[in-house]
Amino acid sequence: HSPCTLRFEGEGDQHPDMKVIGDVLILFAQKPHDLFHRVGTKLVVNHKISLRDALCGFELPIQHLDGRLINIKILPGQCVDPGFAWIVRREGMPAEKTGGTVRGDLIFHFEVEFPTKLTAKQQSTITEVLEATTDFPKVANGQKVSLSDYVPKKQSQQGGPNRGMYVQHDDDDEEEGPRGHPMGGGGQGVQCQQQ
């Protein structure tokens, strides 16, 4: 973020031999903050929440830059989609030359942390609550494969539009990490790299 400049015209050093008086410039550099990130008059907060909080609501107390405590409240039944931003109007930074009467918005981006595993009871409960189906359509002549976590090797991989996507072959099961051909045919355990 570029520093803000305050100019006082004609207030610089004066010299008897010069008719032009210089200006005084004061540069304000923005100090990084642990919680807020400034974008113009907007303040942006990136915050991690649990899947339970995303689906069931939560309260998040925030100490604002001016010392006020504001309580961000997502009501029960109001689900948080991590692809969207949430706004608190007029809680951002003051706009220039308004004396603080015009303020930007406070914007929240919530990153939802998903559990890595579920117990059988949790799966059953979620399936019932979300009315999810456990009957998947049968595919004739199809080979059944399972997804698993992708752990990249330290070596560079082949580039291309499908970089990071591999099909692991049966003979690769005992070796560490996926080997095989990018988007190759056949095999067990399709592995996808997270972006």
Side-chain angles (χ1 to χ4, degrees), residues 26-98:
I26 299 175
L27 301 176
F28 297 93
Q30 181 176 300
K31 184 178 176 183
H33 193 272
D34 292 337
L35 180 63
F36 299 103
H37 173 73
R38 183 178 180 178
V39 180
T41 60
K42 295 172 181 67
L43 283 177
V44 179
V45 174
N46 295 310
H47 187 74
K48 290 182 182 181
I49 59 173
S50 69
L51 179 59
R52 184 198 68 218
D53 287 348
L55 296 175
C56 301
F58 62 95
E59 289 189 21
L60 177 65
I62 297 284
Q63 184 170 3
H64 211 309
L65 294 173
D66 60 7
R68 289 179 299 130
L69 188 65
I70 58 174
N71 196 31
I72 306 303
K73 190 175 206 175
I74 302 293
L75 299 173
Q78 185 178 17
C79 299
V80 173
D81 183 333
F84 290 92
W86 296 74
I87 295 177
V88 180
R89 302 269 182 220
R90 297 184 40 84
E91 286 293 343
M93 295 299 290
E96 288 185 42
K97 300 178 183 175
T98 64

Side-chain angles (χ1 to χ4, degrees), residues 5-14 21-28:
T5 305
L6 190 58
R7 177 185 298 266
F8 295 95
E9 292 185 27
E11 297 295 328
D13 285 341
Q14 298 179 12
I21 300 171
D23 297 341
V24 172
L25 296 177
I26 299 175
L27 301 176
F28 297 93

